[in-house]
Amino acid sequence: TWKRTRDQKMDATSGLCQICGNFAEHVHHIIPLRQCTTEERTDPTLLMPVCVRCHNKLTSEEHGEGW
């Protein structure tokens, strides 16, 4: 399930943002969710724990917005 995969990914990275090292609150899909296959949505190699600030930056970049 998504929750189990998310929790495992957070545990594997000690709950730290993989960009800046702050506390991670989100698990970012490296491939945008709207482009993921069903299997890719829960593939731990395609997930990255990130803090709110970094997640917002990544999301805005995916949508073509400047930051």
Side-chain angles (χ1 to χ4, degrees), residues 27-59:
V27 174
H28 180 71
H29 288 85
I30 296 169
I31 298 173
L33 194 54
R34 66 186 176 281
Q35 297 173 2
C36 287
T37 65
T38 302
E39 294 79 26
E40 289 170 336
R41 288 175 184 240
T42 55
D43 180 343
T45 66
L46 298 174
L47 301 172
M48 176 174 53
V50 291
C51 68
V52 171
R53 183 170 189 256
C54 291
H55 190 258
N56 289 342
K57 181 177 183 205
L58 290 167
T59 302

